[in-house]
Amino acid sequence: MANESVEEATEKTYFGLTLAQHAERIRKLATERGLTGDVFDRVTAKAVAMIPTVKVNDAAQR
């Protein structure tokens, strides 16, 4: 159990969530929107892959 805490503490976060947490939220949203099968798999995989590439600067928040 102590090992899990170390792994979680060192896992990189994006916008306050780990990629696994983002993936879960994306899967939930995709399901709510009725995506299934190959479309569901493609959309969720692409969305999770894009998260580390998102850049936010001050201008975007104004």
Side-chain angles (χ1 to χ4, degrees):
M1 183 138 182
N3 191 22
E4 288 177 351
S5 297
V6 172
E7 285 181 22
E8 289 175 13
T10 60
E11 190 171 354
K12 188 168 183 175
T13 61
Y14 302 90
F15 311 104
L17 299 174
T18 65
L19 281 179
Q21 291 169 321
H22 278 294
E24 184 59 34
R25 292 181 76 188
I26 290 165
R27 283 191 290 272
K28 182 179 177 189
L29 288 169
T31 300
E32 288 173 1
R33 306 270 182 305
L35 296 179
T36 59
D38 290 340
V39 174
F40 175 87
D41 293 339
R42 262 188 301 117
V43 168
T44 56
K46 181 67 173 176
V48 171
M50 289 175 61
I51 290 168
T53 68
V54 174
K55 305 288 184 218
V56 178
N57 60 29
D58 291 338
Q61 297 178 358
R62 292 184 186 173

